[in-house]
């Protein structure tokens, strides 16, 4: 049975009334203080959860492999742990430059992210094409129209430990991701507006699938 103060309802469902992401954007100084920790609480098997921080609490999609420690490339899991927020990417032509306390960079048609573990640029932004596997940051769908980069396995990257862990736009119905954290675009814009350099994202391990 879920705890009384848990955002997760019975059978791993997200409790009703837990989303406050639709409130008005903050004033310029309301969330302008020091660094904050955004918490991701998995529900049930860990494929959906609650993301909360800086006055926002919203349902989010997580990896189809649940939440786990010891993540590996291609396992579909969202890595449990405490990860720094790096920077924000947006797609020109689909979005105007977003308001954010993070460094903001546009993506271009040749921007990609290397996901080949034995490549020297593994888990790095790259200019396409490369002699190896990489995903495009400008996708045919809208999932990467707005992306918050998380500092998972990047200091330095460990081959095979997982790549391209982002916070990005969710699929309809909050369908599971390949390992990222995903929320609807209007919510992601509000999150981006409130995030600041130095913020952290804590992905809690409760609800993880076994390794």
């Amino acid at each position: 049975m879920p705890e009384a103060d848990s955002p997760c309802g019975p059978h791993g469902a997200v409790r009703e009334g837990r989303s406050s992401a639709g409130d008005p954007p903050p004033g310029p100084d309301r969330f302008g203080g020091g660094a904050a920790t955004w918490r991701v609480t998995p529900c049930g098997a860990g494929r959906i959860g609650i993301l909360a921080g800086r006055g926002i609490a919203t349902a989010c999609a997580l990896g189809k492999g649940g939440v786990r420690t010891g993540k590996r490339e291609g396992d579909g899991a969202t890595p449990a742990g405490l990860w720094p927020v790096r920077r924000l990417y947006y797609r020109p032509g689909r979005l105007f430059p977003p308001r954010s306390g993070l460094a903001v960079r546009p993506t271009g048609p040749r921007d990609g992210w290397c996901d080949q573990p034995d490549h020297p640029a593994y888990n790095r932004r790259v200019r396409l094409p490369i002699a190896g596997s990489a995903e495009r940051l400008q996708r045919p769908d809208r999932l990467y129209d707005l992306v918050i980069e998380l500092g998972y396995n990047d200091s330095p990257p460990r081959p095979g430990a997982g790549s391209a862990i982002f916070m990005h736009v969710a699929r309809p119905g909050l369908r599971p991701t390949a390992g990222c954290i995903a929320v609807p675009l209007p919510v992601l814009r509000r999150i981006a507006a409130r995030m600041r350099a130095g913020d952290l994202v804590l992905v809690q391990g409760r609800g993880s699938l076994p390794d």
Side-chain angles (χ1 to χ4, degrees):
M1 179 177 294
E3 299 175 2
D5 60 351
S6 170
C8 302
H11 311 298
V14 175
R15 285 189 188 276
E16 293 183 3
R18 292 297 303 188
S19 177
S20 63
D23 55 354
D29 298 321
R30 184 177 170 196
F31 297 103
T37 298
W38 299 72
R39 287 174 170 79
V40 176
T41 304
C43 297
R47 298 178 182 90
I48 194 168
I50 292 291
L51 169 66
R54 292 195 183 272
I56 291 174
T58 185
C60 63
L62 301 172
K64 60 187 177 183
V67 176
R68 64 175 70 188
T69 58
K71 177 178 172 57
R72 302 300 298 172
E73 185 69 42
D75 65 2
T78 300
L82 185 65
W83 315 121
V85 176
R86 296 299 191 205
R87 56 191 62 83
L88 179 69
Y89 298 100
Y90 75 98
R91 182 166 177 170
R94 291 187 176 177
L95 297 178
F96 291 110
R99 183 167 60 95
S100 183
L102 303 174
V104 178
R105 298 181 181 177
T107 60
R110 292 185 58 196
D111 284 328
W113 207 276
C114 181
D115 56 10
Q116 182 169 317
D118 61 355
H119 194 282
Y122 178 61
N123 199 26
R124 300 290 192 203
R125 187 184 183 190
V126 295
R127 293 283 286 173
L128 300 173
I130 64 170
S133 175
E135 61 174 322
R136 292 186 177 274
L137 292 185
Q138 289 199 349
R139 296 170 53 114
D141 58 26
R142 305 191 72 93
L143 299 189
Y144 285 0
D145 284 4
L146 190 62
V147 169
I148 296 170
E149 177 192 347
L150 302 183
Y152 169 75
N153 189 34
D154 68 347
S155 185
R158 290 174 291 118
S163 62
I165 300 301
F166 302 141
M167 193 178 295
H168 64 68
V169 180
R171 292 181 172 87
L174 290 180
R175 297 201 303 274
T177 71
C180 294
I181 302 162
V183 296
L185 178 59
V187 181
L188 189 57
R189 292 176 71 99
R190 291 187 175 94
I191 291 170
R194 296 188 182 186
M195 274 190 166
R196 300 288 181 267
D199 279 6
L200 302 168
V201 173
L202 173 63
V203 181
Q204 300 180 79
R206 189 166 62 88
S208 303
L209 296 179
D211 290 335

